[in-house]
């Protein structure tokens, strides 16, 4: 038995467990985004985070569709990785006094979240295809594409002036 989960015996078990992991992660991310939005001072950053919070709602709905298609219950399992990333973001943002540095820190923290999601969705897309679940893979790919786009937008914001202002 694993430390954080029941026994995983098959690829299907692993697929469902990882779906539960990212489902929990998306819900935690959705809950934490308002704090980042509130602390952001750059208008474009605020708008981007607000838009991504709406996208996150869509990610959760797609995951619920994947659970349904796959015949599994839509539920989350504790994800120490995302909890740690979000906890670190809270700590970092609580320690920064300079508002311009806060925006750079928000981008860095948000990108850590995006990179975690990208790894999970990339894996899930590959496993769904391997399991012959192209219907699930298509929905998961949509989430993956949106996570890549969010990461790219964050990089563009950082490089277009937020990092320079923070420095």
């Amino acid at each position: 038995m694993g430390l954080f989960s029941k026994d995983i015996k098959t690829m299907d078990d692993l697929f469902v467990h990882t779906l539960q992991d990212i489902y929990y992660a998306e819900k935690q991310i959705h809950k934490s985004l308002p704090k980042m939005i509130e602390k952001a001072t750059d208008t474009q950053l605020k708008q981007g985070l607000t838009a991504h919070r709406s996208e996150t709602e869509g990610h959760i709905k797609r995951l619920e569709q994947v659970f349904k298609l796959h015949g599994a219950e839509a539920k989350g399992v504790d994800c120490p990785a995302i909890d740690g990333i979000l906890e670190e973001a809270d700590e970092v943002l609580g320690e920064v006094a300079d508002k311009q540095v806060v925006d750079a820190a928000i981008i860095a923290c948000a990108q850590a979240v995006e990179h975690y999601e990208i790894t999970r969705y990339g894996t899930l897309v590959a496993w769904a295809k391997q399991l012959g679940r192209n219907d699930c893979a298509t929905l998961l790919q949509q989430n993956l594409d949106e996570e890549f786009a969010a990461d790219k937008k964050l990089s563009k914001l950082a490089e277009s002036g937020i990092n320079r202002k923070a420095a």
Side-chain angles (χ1 to χ4, degrees), residues 83-120:
D83 287 341
I85 291 168
L86 294 173
E87 183 180 317
E88 181 181 38
D90 266 353
E91 287 176 17
V92 168
L93 296 177
E95 293 174 4
V96 179
D98 183 320
K99 298 289 185 197
Q100 292 176 327
V101 176
V102 167
D103 287 340
I106 288 170
I107 290 173
C109 293
Q111 285 191 295
V113 169
E114 293 306 321
H115 294 176
Y116 179 77
E117 292 175 295
I118 288 166
T119 64
R120 284 294 182 243

Side-chain angles (χ1 to χ4, degrees), residues 35-89:
K35 289 181 204 169
M36 287 189 187
I37 293 165
E38 184 181 319
K39 288 186 181 245
T41 61
D42 182 87
T43 305
Q44 287 184 305
L45 179 57
K46 271 187 181 289
Q47 290 170 349
L49 293 170
T50 301
H52 193 62
R53 187 163 193 260
S54 294
E55 273 185 354
T56 301
E57 292 169 10
H59 298 166
I60 292 167
K61 287 181 178 141
R62 280 192 206 110
L63 286 169
E64 289 169 349
Q65 286 180 273
V66 172
F67 278 113
K68 187 174 182 179
L69 286 169
H70 201 66
E73 180 186 354
K75 68 175 189 168
V77 293
D78 285 346
C79 173
I82 202 64
D83 287 341
I85 291 168
L86 294 173
E87 183 180 317
E88 181 181 38

